[in-house]
Amino acid sequence: MKQRYFSTFQLILLALFSALVIVAKIALRTPLQMSGHSGIFWMAIIIVGARVVPKLGASSIIGVTSGLLASFLGLGDFGALNTFLSYAMVGISSDLMLWILHGNTDNAVIAVIVGIFGHLGKFLTKWLFGIITGAPIGFVALGLLRAFLSYVIFGALGGLLGWLTLQALKRAGFFAYLAEKR
Amino acid sequence: MRVSQAGRSRQLALVEDSPLRHADPRTKLFLSLAVSLVVMTSIERLLIFLAVYVLFLLWARLMIPTLEHIWRLKWVLILLFLFDWWMINLDHAILICLRLILLTGVFALFFSTTNTRELGLALEKLRVPYRYAFSLSLAFQSLGLLDDEWRAIREAQSSRGALPNVSSFWKFITNVGDLISLTVPAIVLTTKRAWAITEASYARGFDSPHRVSYHSLSFTRLDFLLMTGTIILLILLFWR
Amino acid sequence: MLRANQISFRYPQEGHGLSPVSLNVEPGKITLVTGPSGCGKSTLARCLMGLIPHLYHGEISGEVWLNGYRTDEVPMWQLAEKAGMVFQNPAAQMLAPTVEDEIIFGLENLGLAHDEITSRLETALKDFHLAHMRHRNPQTLSGGEQQRLALAAILARQPEALILDEPLSMLDTTAATELIAYLQKFAASGKALVMFEHRHEYLDNLPELHHIALSGKERETDFPSANLSARESFKLNIDQLHVQLAKRDIIQNLDLEINSGQIVAIVGRNGVGKTTLLRSLAGLQKHGGSVKVNTAHGDETPNFGIAFQNPDLQMFNASVRDEMLYRLPNPDLNYFRWLISALGLERYENTPPLLLSEGEKKRVALGLVLMRQPAHGLLLDEPSLGQDQLHKTILIRLLRTLADAGQLVVMTTHDLTLASHADRLILLGPGGEVIADGLSDAVLNDSSAWQKSGILLPDWFLRGRTESR
């Protein structure tokens, strides 16, 4: 087998994790109707993905791929460009945070920090989108601070859920199963 | 909404009778990016562009999906318009709303008229390695299946009393750890599926250096016309 | 053409793999490899195809020769030009958006000219009766159609050898018989064919069959005597049950009365609504009409435990014990000990469920349902999938014990041998209607009913019944 940065299995796995992000976003709605609440599953999947494929760029691939999927499905009210960039930024900011922290999401604190900053990547995109359209005032009026807090809380919870999922996967022998595969 | 339903409505949203279905995805991507640039121009030029854009949408049979999209944004637009009119002036309010409408709708030019196979081919033409384009197409195909699996997990766990109670914000926070009864099986099933696909694809010669593409994309006169027209329009709009 | 010489393989984790085995697959014959669960059949199949060692980490020794290539010395794509492999789960190996793209995928990888791809595509669609569904999404096909498509996609590449890993396990009798016919044709053309299969009865009487039995570590376990408290008798009453899915009537006005203390098998072709019926009984499916349990004290809401087809939907704990006892307030540990022993899972008590075989996981899933001691009994969706003969026997004994204790056991199955052990057999027709309902023996003898249902009673099954009489 040719040695590559991402093996074919890893690429397919990341692509399917991206699909899982979309499924979590649409199908697994919780009864909570707070801005950014779907981030909990979203960030959890990214945190797990970054550990299952422990290479820089893994989260970005999940982000960009899920962005393309979401754009094709017509998710989000602000158009395909905004949707694509929001999803992509979640992955890219998670990768950036992992790079800055020099760690992996096996550490609960790192998982939570990556969860928060990854999710804030989406918030940042929405905010920048507002600035580009020249509508920051309106955006502030629509509850910038509330949205920010909500993104932080659900990002952190997503990071925590991702970390808990990783620990459960470890105990369940998932990484031994994974170790067989190239 | 179910993902499989979203997928189906997505299929419906693919505007089959649009002349843009015959254009190369790269051309459509260029068109979308070009329109995104135009929003930075002044209100006078933006209004002129809008007139041309409406004609273009009518020709491309994308007017109805665009109007539907604007309708989805109605409350945000009304709020923004009133707020900016009150805080700044009418011109600014109009400009902001026009920009928002254009920016949020423009990539529909691409996504409403391109299917996933064409996207894969376009990515290959844009020098994205085939392995990436292949995994992207797998992600699209797996949406319905993964959706069914997530629902089945929910059902199976609820039938054994292993579904956490997340009916309120506080219960959600305190029971967050119990959500692993959903996330762990989902990750395991997804990983197994990824592995099954990897094996199946290698058993059919995946990664062969001799691979050819049966379907292909090619630039036609339509692509040439659309590209030239867009460039001319851009030059006119940004000229001084 | 395809030869293994003392090949063995050990996965990085301890405890499983393949002990040294030699094998020669002769062209023109079907080579059948059988053996108990865990003996390494799937591992051997992957060694023959070259997936091991190309896609797997682990320790390999011995050698495999495929058409003059030593499999560990040439790249995987080159091996795939000489051999093809069909896997157990038909849905999991589908990787293209349409039926025709599924076939084109393998042909593109061969680097063929456009016209040659078109010609091979059309031939494959015609030979495997897939032309009328060429634009359909493979995930919407039935299991039998998917397995046919997987075979078409491989055979269009014109390999010299074909390796099949339990291709029949998820198919009903009709689809399995059809698949065997295609395979016979392939072998008759002088190609090498090796098949790894639990359900060898489909092949036993084929001429030119080369049968290799792998030995396993599995021992016959004694079924522990049960001390289950007897349940009060009741009657499950299904009145005018009606289920609609995606605007299609799946079950229409179904009336059934089923007494407790028996095993009931529901049989029908894929897609006739067997699982939907089980889900309705479990309260998981919105339906019209009523499903009630009549007891001496009046009507009750049914309280059944349900064991799903895919055990991976439920496993997330660190050990079999934790999985079976998860969230049980006061577990009956004596019952647990009996159950884990009856399911043949004693030695896996502290093993993570994820590391078990599919058959073992199915037994864990059954165990966790039974630990909750549902009041009225058990519903099982295709319980024999992935189980070898020994564990099928264990399963039947367990179900009989539950039924003898007064519980109701309802199972859907396309395994006719398992169905023949039920007390009552309900045969569903293509529209979900009841075609035959009665004692298992009587229904199995009603050949016109089976004809109506579209299910073929295979020769081996009929022969077996005649002999047992």
Side-chain angles (χ1 to χ4, degrees):
Chain A
M1 285 278 284
K2 230 187 272 180
Q3 284 303 312
R4 287 158 163 148
Y5 186 70
F6 288 116
S7 71
T8 302
F9 171 50
Q10 288 176 328
L11 278 182
I12 294 176
L13 190 53
L14 293 173
L16 296 200
F17 277 1
S18 317
L20 211 51
V21 164
I22 303 297
V23 169
K25 170 88 183 154
I26 297 176
L28 282 182
R29 276 180 189 274
T30 62
L32 310 175
Q33 286 306 324
M34 291 175 73
S35 149
H37 79 278
S38 64
I40 184 162
F41 288 114
W42 191 341
M43 288 320 302
I45 294 164
I46 290 207
I47 296 295
V48 173
R51 178 69 188 91
V52 171
V53 180
K55 287 174 183 167
L56 197 66
S59 307
S60 303
I61 289 187
I62 298 180
V64 169
T65 311
S66 56
L68 282 170
L69 293 174
S71 307
F72 263 94
L73 289 174
L75 300 185
D77 289 336
F78 292 93
L81 180 64
N82 179 271
T83 301
F84 172 74
L85 292 176
S86 304
Y87 280 67
M89 269 308 281
V90 170
I92 293 167
S93 347
S94 303
D95 255 336
L96 195 69
M97 219 51 222
L98 279 167
W99 179 69
I100 291 169
L101 297 172
H102 283 289
N104 69 45
T105 50
D106 235 353
N107 178 314
V109 177
I110 291 181
V112 169
I113 294 175
V114 171
I116 293 172
F117 281 90
H119 208 203
L120 282 178
K122 183 183 169 200
F123 176 81
L124 192 72
T125 312
K126 289 194 180 297
W127 184 64
L128 282 176
F129 196 75
I131 290 181
I132 290 169
T133 50
I137 301 164
F139 202 70
V140 171
L142 288 172
L144 186 65
L145 185 68
R146 188 170 166 266
F148 177 82
L149 284 175
S150 168
Y151 271 78
V152 169
I153 291 169
F154 287 109
L157 285 174
L160 180 66
L161 177 60
W163 180 78
L164 289 167
T165 304
L166 279 174
Q167 303 316 302
L169 285 169
K170 221 188 260 182
R171 287 193 301 270
F174 176 76
F175 287 94
Y177 165 82
L178 214 58
E180 295 169 359
K181 278 88 181 153
R182 284 186 199 270
Chain B
M1 181 168 62
R2 293 186 62 139
V3 175
S4 40
Q5 280 168 350
R8 272 196 285 279
S9 66
R10 163 74 209 129
Q11 288 305 311
L12 290 176
L14 189 71
V15 186
E16 286 290 357
D17 61 349
S18 168
L20 281 181
R21 284 286 293 124
H22 306 292
D24 189 292
R26 288 165 293 178
T27 307
K28 291 181 271 187
L29 201 59
F30 175 75
L31 281 184
S32 304
L33 289 169
V35 179
S36 311
L37 267 182
V38 171
V39 300
M40 304 319 292
T41 190
S42 64
I43 185 165
E44 295 80 11
R45 291 179 188 206
L46 200 57
L47 284 168
I48 295 168
F49 172 75
L50 199 69
V52 179
Y53 190 56
V54 166
L55 290 176
F56 175 75
L57 288 178
L58 286 170
W59 168 79
R61 299 189 187 167
L62 291 172
M63 201 58 197
I64 291 169
T66 307
L67 289 175
E68 281 170 356
H69 178 75
I70 295 171
W71 184 247
R72 271 163 69 186
L73 276 179
K74 57 185 180 296
W75 296 117
V76 176
L77 287 171
I78 291 170
L79 215 67
L80 266 182
F81 182 79
L82 293 176
F83 209 85
D84 284 334
W85 188 9
W86 176 49
M87 295 294 287
I88 304 172
N89 57 38
L90 182 62
D91 277 6
H92 186 76
I94 294 171
L95 180 72
I96 296 305
C97 289
L98 282 182
R99 278 183 180 175
L100 195 64
I101 287 170
L102 276 176
L103 259 188
T104 57
V106 66
F107 273 80
L109 289 183
F110 179 82
F111 289 109
S112 296
T113 59
T114 308
N115 66 28
T116 52
R117 181 201 282 158
E118 291 156 356
L119 174 71
L121 288 169
L123 289 175
E124 274 188 80
K125 289 271 184 192
L126 294 168
R127 302 284 171 95
V128 173
Y130 172 64
R131 294 187 321 136
Y132 289 83
F134 173 66
S135 59
L136 178 67
S137 105
L138 284 174
F140 275 105
Q141 288 153 45
S142 304
L143 278 170
L145 211 75
L146 293 181
D147 180 36
D148 291 342
E149 272 176 2
W150 274 73
R151 276 165 203 286
I153 292 168
R154 249 185 118 91
E155 195 173 275
Q157 298 297 36
S158 86
S159 77
R160 68 184 277 211
L163 203 60
N165 180 354
V166 289
S167 53
S168 69
F169 181 69
W170 185 244
K171 280 186 177 147
F172 195 96
I173 302 255
T174 48
N175 291 337
V176 72
D178 292 345
L179 288 171
I180 62 166
S181 64
L182 297 177
T183 52
V184 170
I187 297 289
V188 169
L189 283 166
T190 306
T191 307
K192 285 188 156 190
R193 176 160 169 72
W195 183 248
I197 292 173
T198 306
E199 282 197 311
S201 59
Y202 274 94
R204 281 191 246 165
F206 184 75
D207 227 7
S208 160
H210 306 309
R211 182 184 176 274
V212 291
S213 207
Y214 182 70
H215 303 287
S216 58
L217 294 176
S218 55
F219 263 65
T220 61
R221 213 168 59 174
L222 175 66
D223 294 295
F224 178 75
L225 283 173
L226 286 170
M227 290 275 219
T228 316
T230 311
I231 292 168
I232 292 172
L233 190 65
L234 278 181
I235 292 171
L236 288 176
L237 282 170
F238 285 98
W239 191 263
R240 289 247 163 203
Chain C
M1 189 177 284
L2 180 56
R3 185 164 53 84
N5 187 13
Q6 284 297 302
I7 187 81
S8 72
F9 185 74
R10 238 170 61 143
Y11 291 96
Q13 74 200 55
E14 292 296 314
H16 75 296
L18 173 71
S19 306
V21 59
S22 294
L23 165 102
N24 190 13
V25 182
E26 294 168 43
K29 278 186 179 176
I30 293 183
T31 300
L32 170 69
V33 183
T34 56
S37 284
C39 72
K41 292 193 297 297
S42 288
T43 307
L44 179 57
R46 280 157 179 77
C47 287
L48 294 180
M49 182 65 213
L51 294 171
I52 292 176
H54 288 287
L55 292 186
Y56 284 82
H57 291 289
E59 270 176 52
I60 188 166
S61 68
E63 57 204 45
V64 175
W65 291 88
L66 171 63
N67 238 41
Y69 293 138
R70 206 180 126 145
T71 54
D72 54 350
E73 287 177 351
V74 290
M76 193 55 230
W77 61 266
Q78 217 169 332
L79 297 173
E81 285 181 358
K82 302 294 171 201
M85 183 163 174
V86 175
F87 299 84
Q88 182 179 11
N89 185 343
Q93 56 195 310
M94 300 290 118
L95 38 81
T98 65
V99 166
E100 63 174 30
D101 283 334
E102 195 69 45
I103 297 171
I104 289 169
F105 173 81
L107 300 175
E108 286 179 327
N109 291 333
L110 284 172
L112 300 174
H114 192 274
D115 289 349
E116 177 64 15
I117 294 183
T118 309
S119 147
R120 288 202 197 184
L121 167 68
E122 296 305 327
T123 310
L125 290 171
K126 190 168 145 268
D127 288 352
F128 289 87
H129 304 106
L130 295 163
H132 61 289
M133 51 179 91
R134 63 191 300 159
H135 298 301
R136 273 178 67 185
N137 179 345
Q139 299 297 351
T140 63
L141 307 184
S142 71
E145 287 165 343
Q146 283 175 334
Q147 204 58 298
R148 215 161 71 213
L149 174 57
L151 192 62
I154 290 285
L155 295 192
R157 289 169 53 84
Q158 302 179 354
E160 292 300 316
L162 184 59
I163 299 151
L164 301 106
D165 184 21
E166 298 199 37
L168 307 179
S169 70
M170 294 196 172
L171 306 187
D172 61 32
T173 51
T174 314
T177 311
E178 270 173 22
L179 194 73
I180 300 288
Y182 285 117
L183 298 179
Q184 270 184 287
K185 225 160 95 182
F186 177 78
S189 65
K191 307 285 177 77
L193 194 156
V194 56
M195 188 161 164
F196 296 78
E197 188 57 64
H198 277 313
R199 298 170 78 185
H200 54 84
E201 53 278 5
Y202 282 94
L203 298 138
D204 283 344
N205 265 49
L206 291 186
E208 301 291 320
L209 182 78
H210 180 207
H211 187 170
I212 297 168
L214 296 182
S215 56
K217 289 170 193 159
E218 211 68 66
R219 294 180 301 268
E220 178 76 47
T221 46
D222 288 332
F223 191 82
S225 59
N227 189 19
L228 303 183
S229 48
R231 307 272 172 101
E232 210 172 282
S233 65
F234 63 86
K235 191 184 278 176
L236 175 67
N237 204 326
I238 301 169
D239 186 25
Q240 293 288 295
L241 183 72
H242 188 106
V243 181
Q244 225 184 26
L245 293 175
K247 293 187 182 165
R248 195 167 75 87
D249 289 324
I250 305 293
I251 299 174
Q252 292 183 66
N253 308 327
L254 182 72
D255 292 315
L256 281 174
E257 271 191 5
I258 307 175
N259 288 323
S260 59
Q262 57 174 338
I263 304 175
V264 180
I266 299 171
V267 180
R269 291 215 69 181
N270 285 337
V272 300
K274 302 190 294 291
T275 303
T276 309
L277 175 56
L278 275 199
R279 294 176 72 251
S280 305
L281 301 185
L284 297 169
Q285 178 68 54
K286 269 191 191 163
H287 60 78
S290 74
V291 178
K292 286 209 171 93
V293 165
N294 309 133
T295 67
H297 318 289
D299 284 353
E300 289 177 11
T301 308
N303 176 5
F304 289 105
I306 178 165
F308 295 86
Q309 214 177 105
N310 186 351
D312 282 322
L313 296 174
Q314 292 177 307
M315 309 288 145
F316 69 101
N317 283 296
S319 68
V320 168
R321 184 189 169 87
D322 290 353
E323 199 67 71
M324 284 173 67
L325 299 181
Y326 182 74
R327 289 270 161 100
L328 286 177
N330 294 306
D332 177 347
L333 291 178
N334 288 330
Y335 179 63
F336 169 72
R337 290 252 66 90
W338 171 77
L339 195 54
I340 199 167
S341 153
L343 289 165
L345 292 169
E346 257 176 326
R347 61 188 155 133
Y348 300 121
E349 188 175 338
N350 296 312
T351 308
L354 185 62
L355 298 183
L356 303 180
S357 72
E358 289 307 302
E360 286 156 354
K361 269 187 281 189
K362 269 193 98 100
R363 279 179 273 143
V364 177
L366 182 56
L368 66 91
V369 172
L370 287 175
M371 267 315 293
R372 304 189 78 80
Q373 307 207 28
H376 299 127
L378 185 62
L379 309 170
L380 303 109
D381 196 5
E382 297 289 355
S384 65
L385 269 189
Q387 305 286 359
D388 60 14
Q389 199 45 55
L390 171 69
H391 290 109
K392 249 190 246 181
T393 313
I394 291 177
L395 177 74
I396 291 163
R397 282 193 209 156
L398 176 67
L399 301 185
R400 178 58 59 204
T401 309
L402 296 171
D404 287 347
Q407 301 196 34
L408 175 60
V409 176
V410 183
M411 61 181 174
T412 67
T413 185
H414 57 235
D415 183 333
L416 295 179
T417 313
L418 182 67
S420 68
H421 286 275
D423 302 301
R424 179 171 168 185
L425 199 157
I426 299 171
L427 180 62
L428 299 183
E433 73 282 11
V434 176
I435 290 184
D437 179 5
L439 294 175
S440 292
D441 258 354
V443 175
L444 284 166
N445 287 333
D446 184 353
S447 54
S448 70
W450 291 93
Q451 213 164 11
K452 259 193 238 164
S453 75
I455 295 178
L456 193 81
L457 288 179
D459 286 345
W460 59 265
F461 182 73
L462 295 171
R463 258 196 323 273
R465 286 182 61 76
T466 317
E467 280 161 19
S468 67
R469 270 187 227 133

